[in-house]
Amino acid sequence: MRAARLIRMALLLQSNPGLTAAALARELEVSERTVIRDVQALQEAGVPVRSERGRAGGYFLAPGYRTRLTTLHPSEAETLFLSGLPTALQDLGLSDAAHTARLKLTATLLPSVREAAESAARRFHLDAPAWFREPSTPALLPDLARAVWADRAVELAYERPGRDGSPPSTATRVVEPYGLVLKAGTWYVVARIPGARRDRDGGWRTYRVDRITALAPAPGAQEPFVRDAAFDLAAHWESRSASFARALLRTTVTVRLTGQGLRRLPAVVDAAAVEEALACASVPDAAGRVTLGLPAESEDVAFDQLARLGADAEVMAPLSLRARFRERAAALAVLYQDDPQEAGREETRDQR
């Protein structure tokens, strides 16, 4: 454990000279006292670490010194070759570049390490999209990715789903695209609204890329925007994804479920919607049915989701959605009212 930490410390000082004890402690997740002891251990091992006091002080390696710790261990090479997302790279238009980079990296590895990397690639594969859905690449994703790489503000047109059966609307915004996230086969862009630094969420917005209908350079933006150096995409997504998922649920459907329907509900509805619905569910009636208010993205989405539950779900409101289920039930009743085998025999008799 300590040996790995000492290696990390030496590599950190090689790539970031002048790190303070506090900064090293944060990176290594130890106390400053431990950092001081580890620096002494490196010095005793022959690594020329020196400390400088003052405002520009910190820990430094001797000028010209380079560690020989950058050779990959087989387990590290395995991890590196597992870190790629082939489908994501293809969506972003980076698959050729990634393939070339892997070839270059492989050529520099020792034979034992190269075999470990190739072994990992043969044994593990990450398939991000969900089952039973054909993944599609948003047409504007490569252009948006280039804007993210170049820190270029863009003007985008975004289609917002309608509420309670109303048609979708389109909004146009100028944003600074900070990063892209692939979640269960769906791409999202995390962006900031220029000049919206003091609103309650700091101007941060999240958009589904497949709902962006137009994309162009921001009017008058000649230079790259200045990124917030403190922004951490992974941490931001973790803290905002739950609230973002809830914000997508723009309507509420009152539904009555049998016990079987209640058990199957998490399989057809988003987790955020299920959690909120169960929190306000009624007590079971005499037939064991539970009534609850189910948040949904739209009536269309609710119709597709609840239709999978069949007769185990009865929509009570809104009436427009209940009418759609009534029409579906009537159409199915007509379709299935006859025995297809009997109908076939009658048709044969008629032909005779």
Side-chain angles (χ1 to χ4, degrees):
M1 179 70 176
R2 190 187 186 196
R5 190 173 69 242
L6 292 175
I7 291 174
R8 284 188 61 199
M9 177 180 288
L11 292 174
L12 283 169
L13 293 177
Q14 180 172 297
S15 57
N16 299 281
L19 287 175
T20 64
L24 285 169
R26 286 193 299 270
E27 288 287 342
L28 300 172
E29 298 181 347
V30 296
S31 67
E32 293 186 35
R33 186 184 298 273
T34 299
V35 167
I36 294 172
R37 288 198 298 263
D38 285 352
V39 167
Q40 292 173 347
L42 286 175
Q43 292 170 337
E44 293 170 359
V47 179
V49 182
R50 73 178 194 276
S51 62
E52 295 184 4
R53 298 181 180 276
R55 294 181 60 186
Y59 289 104
F60 298 82
L61 295 177
Y65 178 83
R66 304 287 293 178
T67 71
R68 296 183 179 180
L69 302 173
T70 52
T71 301
L72 290 176
H73 185 274
S75 63
E76 295 168 335
E78 291 172 352
T79 304
L80 178 62
F81 274 70
L82 282 174
S83 64
L85 286 155
T87 54
L89 292 171
Q90 183 176 356
D91 288 351
L92 295 170
L94 298 174
S95 55
D96 290 341
H99 178 66
T100 302
R102 277 193 290 269
L103 288 176
K104 290 180 178 180
L105 177 60
T106 302
T108 66
L109 299 177
L110 295 174
S112 60
V113 181
R114 187 182 309 131
E115 291 172 3
E118 293 173 351
S119 175
R122 287 193 297 268
R123 285 170 169 78
F124 298 96
H125 173 68
L126 176 60
D127 185 9
W131 286 103
F132 313 120
R133 187 176 71 183
E134 186 66 26
S136 60
T137 302
L140 296 173
L141 178 61
D143 293 336
L144 187 57
R146 283 190 284 271
V148 170
W149 280 114
D151 293 337
R152 292 286 184 177
V154 296
E155 183 179 63
L156 56 82
Y158 183 77
E159 185 178 88
R160 293 172 170 171
R163 295 190 179 187
D164 301 327
S166 62
S169 60
T170 300
T172 301
R173 284 239 172 135
V174 171
V175 301
E176 298 169 348
Y178 267 67
L180 290 163
V181 176
L182 178 61
K183 171 71 172 179
T186 301
W187 283 98
Y188 298 88
V189 59
V190 177
R192 201 172 195 180
I193 308 299
R197 309 302 189 197
R198 292 186 176 86
D199 67 1
R200 59 188 177 90
D201 56 4
W204 295 105
R205 301 290 186 273
T206 302
Y207 302 95
R208 277 184 57 154
V209 178
D210 58 2
R211 289 182 180 163
I212 297 176
T213 58
L215 186 72
Q222 303 298 326
E223 300 293 333
F225 64 84
V226 179
R227 292 178 66 91
D228 182 350
F231 177 76
D232 184 318
L233 179 60
H236 176 90
W237 180 262
E238 182 178 358
S239 65
R240 301 291 184 93
S241 56
S243 59
F244 173 69
R246 181 60 188 87
L248 292 176
L249 306 175
R250 300 169 178 269
T251 190
T252 299
V253 175
T254 303
V255 60
R256 186 159 56 194
L257 300 169
T258 65
Q260 176 70 4
L262 193 62
R263 287 188 292 271
R264 292 177 55 203
L265 188 64
V268 300
V269 177
D270 296 333
V274 173
E275 182 179 359
E276 184 170 332
L278 294 180
C280 60
S282 70
V283 297
D285 61 15
R289 297 176 301 177
V290 171
T291 301
L292 48 80
L294 181 67
E297 188 171 346
S298 65
E299 285 192 17
D300 288 339
V301 172
F303 182 78
D304 291 337
Q305 292 174 335
L306 295 175
R308 303 176 206 173
L309 299 180
D312 288 316
E314 179 187 1
V315 171
M316 311 300 292
L319 295 180
S320 56
L321 182 59
R322 183 178 174 87
R324 289 179 64 176
F325 275 98
R326 186 165 56 247
E327 292 171 2
R328 169 68 67 87
L332 289 173
V334 171
L335 184 63
Y336 288 98
Q337 64 181 348
D338 296 324
D339 184 341
Q341 294 181 349
E342 181 63 29
R345 287 192 290 268
E346 292 181 358
E347 184 177 351
T348 300
R349 287 196 295 268
D350 292 341
Q351 290 174 350
R352 291 176 182 172

